[in-house]
Amino acid sequence: MKRFSIAVGLTAVGALVISGCAPGDGGDAGDDSGLVEGSSITAAWNQAFYSMNGNTSFGNATANNNINYLVLDGFNYYNNTPELVQNTSFGTYELVSEDPLTVTYTVNEGVNWSDGTPIDAADLMLTWAALSRALDTPDFDPNEFTDPETGEFTDAFPEDVVFFNSGATQGSRFGLVTQTPEISEDGQSITLTYDAPYVDWELAFGSLGTILPAHVVAKNALGLEDNEEAKQAVLDAIDSEDAASLASVSSAWNNIFNFTEMPEDSELVTASGPYIISDFVADQYVTLTANPEYSGDNAANIEEITVRFIPDPLAAVQALENGEVDIIQPQATADITTALEGIEGITVDASVGGTYEHVDLQFDQARNPENIFANPDVREAFLKTIPRQEILETLIRPIIGDEAILRDSQIFVPGADGYEEAVAANGSDAYNDVDIEGARQLLEQSGVTNTEVCLLYASNNPRRVNEFALIQQSANEAGFNVTDCGAENWSALLGTPGAYDASLFGWQSTSLGVTDWTANFVTGGINNLSFYSNSRIDEISQEISSEFDPEAQKELQIEADRILFEDAFGVTIFQFPEVTAISDRVTNVSSSILAPTVFWNAWDWEVTDADTEE
């Protein structure tokens, strides 16, 4: 199970996910909102929604989290400045103590799920159990129970293990909260005590799109019918560390929110945010309708938002021109910018975004029977063949001109403090130019006899199809046999044992956290889809978690960046060009450099020609 996106260069980096303010001040939105009955708009995205649980390695994708951000409320979110906004209409959090680090989270009275059930400590406790994995069965490895064709867990997955598929690792984020939190007497608060200081504590819990309904999970897991009884069952299982009940609860948390069309069980779309999923047609669209139970500050202005799934960027442009969609943010190509120039009644913004393209290699669990990239010579050889400059010049520069740039760091975003220092020290210049002869020599000395490299990418994305063709041609000249593992469900296959040997996709930034990059590289991290492991990287991930000095943080990141290039983890290619096009019939739309980009303030959008019901 896997999914993700990556951070941008505003300060350093933040959390990643796999890649799809009110104007004026960029601050809290929604104070002036007023629902216009009968109003509707349609936006387009390049990948279909498939999971309402973006906390799992399977569901952690931009295509999912765009939607989850709007249907699951939480304690904070980023505006488009970007700066972190505390969502005090949902609840509050308080730093109780710095030593030991202790934080109390409180959900406001009167905040409900869309079925009327109050949101309270049971929902927060389930979130802690899932994101900390403190109650998981020790040393359990789920990889042998993952279907290489779909990326989902198989029917053979053992029923007696506790395993929350959140990728939490010891010594980082909620992996630092191993003690069971305390619940307040009124049942509205929980208090977390960290095992060690954690610099990004404010980002560790309960942002928009994170907290799932405990009563829905427990009803599915334990066969209960009453909502309050179900919530209490979650609390009891956690308090008593009841392994049998927790095994069922963790399985339900991992799996029940994965669906590719409207589920028969309507409880699975129970929402807490300004919108609720009201319709979902496989591979076509998902429709969000204003949540009548929502009482927060970010109340919807538009009654219905439909997100259509249009993988082909030119088809998205055509839909915009035809008036079938109002907002698009397609994978940018030169043809896209040209096509948009001829459309009247739209606003277009083109710039460098917060996502970067990259190729990752499978260190273990590869498709190749010789596990080809377990050999460091072969890793280096393959990376020497990636035509980074050609990809930039032929596919990216025609879109945004000289602003198009290569990215030469796994951790720092171009322009961020520390980027130039990292690039000077990390050895990335070894991949500035294609070196076929050097690659051929390394491949020959490796002793590898099966040189097949199955490359996973989005087969319905024209730009990635072109990138694959350029990589295939170049690598094959050095003696590799690059085969086409392109798939429409590529993101579900990321990190799936036996599914591929190398992958081509984008990471998109979700936060400005100092430590969130570690999830990509630490052993067992949620975004470590390559089965990569380096003891020093693991040490750095723990050291930086407790490091509050910015200069010391930067030095640790620079060291980690160098190690990743020394290990030939993979290679970065370019920062994404981002093109957003908006119909003039929609106002208050602006994109953020962080995920969920254009959706960050969807509750603020307004239509200029709304049809209203009398």
Side-chain angles (χ1 to χ4, degrees), residues 1 10 30 33 46 59 73 99 131 138 200 225 231 242-243 251 293 315 324 389 462 509 512 546 553 558 570 596 612:
M1 333 292 262
L10 311 99
S33 64
N46 59 29
D73 211 7
D99 187 16
L131 299 189
D200 286 331
E225 296 184 1
K231 290 200 298 183
D242 178 354
S251 177
E293 283 288 332
E324 299 166 13
Q389 193 67 42
S509 230
L512 301 181
S546 300
Q553 292 169 355
I558 290 173
T612 59

Side-chain angles (χ1 to χ4, degrees), residues 371-389:
N371 200 25
I372 185 169
F373 291 127
N375 187 309
D377 286 341
V378 183
R379 293 199 300 272
E380 184 179 354
F382 188 74
L383 298 183
K384 281 179 175 291
T385 71
I386 305 298
R388 302 168 71 228
Q389 193 67 42

Side-chain angles (χ1 to χ4, degrees), residues 53 55-56 126 130 164-165 212 217 249-255 257:
N53 188 352
N55 302 295
T56 67
L126 176 60
F164 287 97
N165 185 31
L212 291 159
V217 172
V249 167
S250 65
S251 177
W253 187 87
N254 291 337
N255 298 307
F257 298 104

Side-chain angles (χ1 to χ4, degrees), residues 165-363:
N165 185 31
S166 66
T169 56
Q170 186 177 18
S172 179
R173 296 190 70 149
F174 265 18
L176 286 168
V177 188
T178 57
Q179 302 176 48
T180 302
E182 297 181 4
I183 301 176
S184 63
E185 290 187 6
D186 65 0
Q188 292 298 118
S189 302
I190 67 170
T191 297
L192 311 174
T193 301
Y194 284 75
D195 301 334
Y198 179 53
V199 65
D200 286 331
W201 65 268
E202 197 170 4
L203 302 174
F205 183 77
S207 295
L208 301 193
T210 300
I211 300 170
L212 291 159
H215 65 288
V216 173
V217 172
K219 289 168 77 172
N220 278 270
L222 305 174
L224 302 173
E225 296 184 1
D226 181 78
N227 291 349
E228 292 301 321
E229 182 183 355
K231 290 200 298 183
Q232 188 59 49
V234 169
L235 294 175
D236 292 344
I238 292 173
D239 182 60
S240 63
E241 298 187 17
D242 178 354
S245 295
L246 288 171
S248 296
V249 167
S250 65
S251 177
W253 187 87
N254 291 337
N255 298 307
I256 64 173
F257 298 104
N258 300 332
F259 42 82
T260 56
E261 60 185 352
M262 198 67 182
E264 293 183 7
D265 181 0
S266 61
E267 284 198 321
L268 296 179
V269 296
T270 299
S272 56
Y275 285 95
I276 184 171
I277 296 174
S278 57
D279 193 14
F280 182 13
V281 177
D283 299 319
Q284 294 188 42
Y285 64 83
V286 61
T287 297
L288 307 176
T289 301
N291 177 5
E293 283 288 332
Y294 181 76
S295 58
D297 287 344
N298 297 329
N301 287 335
I302 298 174
E303 185 170 37
E304 186 176 276
I305 297 175
T306 295
V307 180
R308 280 185 55 187
F309 314 135
I310 307 179
D312 186 335
L314 284 173
V317 172
Q318 188 64 59
L320 179 68
E321 185 172 18
N322 294 344
E324 299 166 13
V325 301
D326 305 292
I327 301 170
I328 65 172
Q329 197 172 72
Q331 294 273 326
T333 67
D335 290 341
I336 293 301
T337 54
T338 300
L340 288 171
E341 288 174 358
I343 302 176
E344 298 294 331
I346 66 170
T347 300
V348 179
D349 175 58
S351 59
V352 175
T355 302
Y356 71 88
E357 193 85 329
H358 60 102
V359 170
D360 289 350
L361 311 179
Q362 293 300 83
F363 281 63

Side-chain angles (χ1 to χ4, degrees), residues 353-413:
T355 302
Y356 71 88
E357 193 85 329
H358 60 102
V359 170
D360 289 350
L361 311 179
Q362 293 300 83
F363 281 63
D364 194 7
Q365 307 288 335
R367 178 165 172 167
N368 182 300
E370 291 189 41
N371 200 25
I372 185 169
F373 291 127
N375 187 309
D377 286 341
V378 183
R379 293 199 300 272
E380 184 179 354
F382 188 74
L383 298 183
K384 281 179 175 291
T385 71
I386 305 298
R388 302 168 71 228
Q389 193 67 42
E390 185 178 9
I391 290 172
L392 184 77
E393 295 291 342
T394 60
L395 301 179
I396 308 305
R397 191 146 283 165
I399 305 171
I400 54 175
D402 291 341
E403 289 186 48
I405 53 174
L406 291 174
R407 173 166 168 149
D408 294 319
S409 170
Q410 293 281 3
I411 292 177
F412 292 91
V413 179

Side-chain angles (χ1 to χ4, degrees), residues 67-105:
I67 306 300
N68 297 334
Y69 178 89
L70 297 176
V71 301
L72 297 173
D73 211 7
F75 289 98
N76 56 36
Y77 63 94
Y78 279 98
N79 62 22
N80 66 339
T81 303
E83 62 187 1
L84 192 66
V85 177
Q86 292 192 30
N87 185 21
T88 56
S89 63
F90 175 81
T92 57
Y93 49 92
E94 176 188 3
L95 181 63
V96 177
S97 168
E98 292 184 354
D99 187 16
L101 179 61
T102 307
V103 186
T104 295
Y105 290 87

Side-chain angles (χ1 to χ4, degrees), residues 415-439:
D417 181 29
Y419 177 78
E420 296 296 338
E421 295 168 70
V423 171
N426 65 17
S428 61
D429 55 354
Y431 307 117
N432 283 348
D433 300 305
V434 171
D435 181 5
I436 298 299
E437 185 56 36

